[in-house]
Structure formats: structure tokens, C-alpha cells
Amino acid sequence: MIEFTTPIIPYEGTGIFKLNAPYNETKTLVTSSKVRYSETVSQPNKIHPAWHLIDIYNNSKDFAINLAFAKNRLFRITLGEDFKGTLPNGIRTGMAIEEALSIDKKLWYNDDNDELYESPEGYWLDYYCANRKIFEITIFIPALERDDFFDYKW
């Protein structure tokens, strides 16, 4: 069963979704949970192999959970505003970015990476500039932070 309030564990996953899990196993979990979802294939910057993306919805039109797969492995989980779980340090969507910065003093602004705040603890935060509220938390496998990620030897 998919829950939208489970803890968010960097480098590991959230709830029933575990980073590095195979695509087929994860897709079975999604379809058996009878939640609303959509699936797309993406090739940002014409990367090869293509990424398979599954968006899972809770109540709103925007995804609550986005699962990204490459080479049959779940490498990134992005949690939207409709996901109410928290990181181990208490950071959550809907929180002011200033509050998150006071909680995690290691957060740094990376304007090269879609203007996200990044933590060496294994997560990224995206926020609305207008109201300064976090709208996405992304966790990922450690290899995503390496320069050789797109070699897909992880």
C-alpha cells in the first residue's frame, strides 16, 4: 500500500519505494495499490538509455511521488507538495526555505542544478521563489552525485 506520510530517507527511499529497486517490481507495487498514476519515457538531453518516469497522485493534479528509472533501476524519488512525509531532520514540503536552511546548515544553493538547494546528506530541495516554500524534495542513489553517473555503471 502506498502511503503519503512515510519518512523520507536519503539514499534509501520512502515507504514501499526503495532506491535501486528494479522497475518491474516497483511497477507491480504501484499497479497493485490501485492509485492514480501516469507513466512517461524521457530522454533529457538525448541521454541513452531513456528514463522511465512514474508519477503517483494523491489528491491534487500534481504528482505526490515521482519515480525515475534508468537501466531498470530506481535512481531518484521526487516528493511533491501532496506528500506529507518528512526527512529525518524534520524538513518537509510546504516549509519555508529559510526554516530548512536553519535546520540543515550544510544546505547550499546550486544555480547550476536547476537552482536547487542541495544537502551533502543526500537530498535536494526546490522551492517557489514567490513565497519561498519548498514544493519538492528529491532523494537519490549516491551515484547521482558523481561525474560518471551518465556512464550508468552503478
Side-chain angles (χ1 to χ4, degrees):
M1 181 172 145
I2 297 173
E3 295 184 29
F4 297 94
T5 59
T6 56
I8 306 164
I9 311 299
Y11 301 126
E12 291 183 27
T14 185
I16 62 172
F17 301 114
K18 304 301 178 204
L19 290 165
N20 270 317
Y23 168 82
N24 291 339
E25 287 178 21
T26 306
K27 177 79 182 271
T28 299
L29 290 172
V30 173
T31 57
S32 67
S33 294
K34 297 182 178 18
V35 294
R36 187 169 56 98
Y37 74 94
S38 64
E39 190 169 1
T40 57
V41 175
S42 175
Q43 278 192 288
N45 300 319
K46 299 186 190 245
I47 60 159
H48 183 75
W51 293 356
H52 291 265
L53 307 172
I54 298 175
D55 287 338
I56 301 167
Y57 302 91
N58 188 10
N59 296 317
S60 74
K61 63 178 176 64
D62 297 321
F63 71 82
I65 303 170
N66 170 272
L67 307 172
F69 298 83
K71 292 191 74 162
N72 195 38
R73 292 285 175 209
L74 179 57
F75 73 90
R76 184 185 72 203
I77 301 171
T78 301
L79 305 154
E81 291 177 289
D82 230 9
F83 188 87
K84 302 304 179 194
T86 62
L87 288 161
N89 59 14
I91 293 175
R92 58 178 167 64
T93 59
M95 175 183 281
I97 193 65
E98 289 77 14
E99 187 177 351
L101 291 166
S102 71
I103 292 170
D104 184 348
K105 305 281 190 217
K106 295 178 184 174
L107 278 167
W108 62 284
Y109 186 75
N110 184 347
D111 57 2
D112 290 336
N113 187 12
D114 295 326
E115 300 179 354
L116 300 169
Y117 276 94
E118 297 185 10
S119 173
E121 305 300 318
Y123 62 91
W124 299 333
L125 304 175
D126 206 347
Y127 68 99
Y128 295 115
C129 291
N131 67 9
R132 313 275 303 154
K133 301 285 186 193
I134 298 167
F135 70 90
E136 286 181 354
I137 297 172
T138 301
I139 58 174
F140 41 82
I141 62 173
L144 188 58
E145 297 176 299
R146 296 193 323 240
D147 290 337
D148 66 348
F149 172 78
F150 289 102
D151 293 342
Y152 298 107
K153 294 179 181 170
W154 31 269

